[in-house]
Amino acid sequence: MTHQNRIQSTIERARDGTPLRDPRRVEPKYSLPRAYGHFRDLLKDKEETSHVFKIFEALPSRSFMPRVRALTLSEQGEQLRADEPFLPPILDDHEALRRLPKGSVAQAYCDFMEREGLSAAGLVAEADKLGRPKYGDLVEWFGYRSRDTHDLMHILTGYGRDGLGEQCVLLFTHGQSPSHGHLLIGYAGALNIKQSVKSKAPVYRACRQAQRTGAACPPLVGISIRELLAKGLEQVRAELNIPEPHWYRECHRIWREEGIDPYDLLAKDQEPNQAKAA
């Protein structure tokens, strides 16, 4: 962001007076070595999601502020902030979500989160571990909303929480909101899978399909999540141009044929083709 743009962003405000960008915000500095260091730490413990946030901080996207401005200062953005100021309380109210129709996005979301032992509040807690200051500006609202729709992306795309599934969701997200952080984690993670697991599984094809799907899908950050949750899952996938993740499913099929557990790809006791050998 240029000095002039930075000054302009502090002047721009929503109708209720909320600033686009608080002038106290420190402009992030691009550092690929710092991002890669956090990526290596993430490979050691993929559940330590604080490294993901640090990677994105080290690789700021030039298109981020234009996207924030386009949504938050629009009529649609104003309406979303009024109706959905903060998503976690909505997403974690499973009692209310369970009252929505069978086959809805809400039902699939609750099934997924309960099965995986996850919550939207848990993701917030991981981000809060970084101790970053809070500004209450439109950048913050946009960033929170982008973060809090992550698990919904798993539901809508059909990608699981296995190693490849997480890479695919990140690359789907890159298609929605391009950043070097998504590319680094997504494709470096795919490379790690290819190098660690000797297999014929088309890992890169799965990743490229995910990225293309994200680019073809309207950005979820600008969609009413309340309305989306109430709709049928298959209806939403059709409306948002989200196809069946064919190459991801094909990877799982091949891995299982080779005796490899897709949800434990890096298990040391796994050997390709062990199932056939048995």
Side-chain angles (χ1 to χ4, degrees):
M1 179 185 297
T2 66
H3 179 65
Q4 182 178 354
N5 286 340
R6 186 162 59 251
I7 292 175
Q8 181 64 23
S9 69
T10 66
I11 297 173
E12 292 178 287
R13 294 177 180 272
R15 293 178 186 176
D16 64 1
T18 305
L20 175 66
R21 184 181 187 277
D22 191 298
R24 296 171 298 170
R25 279 187 178 275
V26 177
E27 190 167 352
K29 296 182 179 179
Y30 193 97
S31 174
L32 184 57
R34 181 156 51 93
Y36 186 68
H38 286 300
F39 175 75
R40 294 184 65 179
D41 290 337
L42 181 63
L43 287 180
K44 297 174 185 176
D45 182 5
K46 72 181 185 70
E47 297 299 326
E48 186 53 62
T49 54
S50 63
H51 291 300
V52 175
F53 298 114
K54 292 175 181 177
I55 289 170
F56 290 127
E57 284 185 343
L59 300 175
S61 170
R62 291 182 179 178
S63 67
F64 177 72
M65 280 305 302
R67 285 187 276 110
V68 173
R69 181 181 290 106
L71 175 62
T72 61
L73 298 181
S74 69
E75 184 176 340
Q76 172 70 359
E78 295 275 2
Q79 190 63 52
L80 286 174
R81 283 204 308 122
D83 295 343
E84 302 171 353
F86 192 49
L87 290 177
I90 298 171
L91 295 171
D92 282 342
D93 188 356
H94 288 202
E95 182 178 352
L97 295 181
R98 287 296 190 188
R99 292 197 289 268
L100 293 172
K102 182 178 180 180
S104 65
V105 173
Q107 295 290 348
Y109 177 78
C110 289
D111 290 344
F112 175 82
M113 299 297 279
E114 292 167 11
R115 181 175 66 249
E116 299 291 338
L118 301 173
S119 69
L123 190 57
V124 174
E126 286 296 319
D128 285 347
K129 287 181 181 179
L130 298 177
R132 292 178 294 188
K134 294 180 171 58
Y135 298 103
D137 56 13
L138 298 179
V139 170
E140 187 170 271
W141 176 82
F142 185 96
Y144 286 169
R145 191 173 179 85
S146 301
R147 174 197 66 195
D148 298 332
T149 52
H150 173 82
D151 289 315
L152 269 174
M153 291 182 183
H154 279 283
I155 304 304
L156 298 178
T157 60
Y159 296 121
R161 292 190 71 230
D162 57 290
L164 178 59
E166 291 291 359
Q167 312 312 316
C168 286
V169 169
L170 284 163
L171 290 164
F172 172 88
T173 307
H174 177 270
Q176 296 247 301
S177 52
S179 82
H180 290 168
H182 294 115
L183 285 179
L184 171 63
I185 303 175
Y187 281 112
L191 175 61
N192 183 59
I193 291 173
K194 288 291 291 183
Q195 291 179 335
S196 303
V197 182
K198 303 304 179 183
S199 169
K200 297 179 180 179
V203 170
Y204 294 130
R205 286 188 176 183
C207 290
R208 286 193 293 270
Q209 182 184 29
Q211 187 176 349
R212 288 194 298 269
T213 298
C217 173
L220 297 183
V221 69
I223 295 175
S224 169
I225 299 304
R226 289 186 188 276
E227 292 179 7
L228 182 148
L229 287 165
K231 292 182 178 181
L233 177 57
E234 295 307 319
Q235 174 191 352
V236 169
R237 285 172 173 168
E239 290 177 354
L240 299 183
N241 303 313
I242 299 176
E244 173 70 14
H246 168 74
W247 292 112
Y248 168 74
R249 305 283 190 218
E250 183 68 2
C251 286
H252 276 227
R253 184 190 69 78
I254 291 173
W255 280 327
R256 289 193 177 99
E257 282 190 353
E258 295 173 339
I260 299 170
D261 181 358
Y263 290 89
D264 195 12
L265 289 174
L266 305 182
K268 293 181 179 180
D269 59 345
Q270 283 194 148
E271 293 292 339
N273 301 316
Q274 67 183 31
K276 291 183 178 180

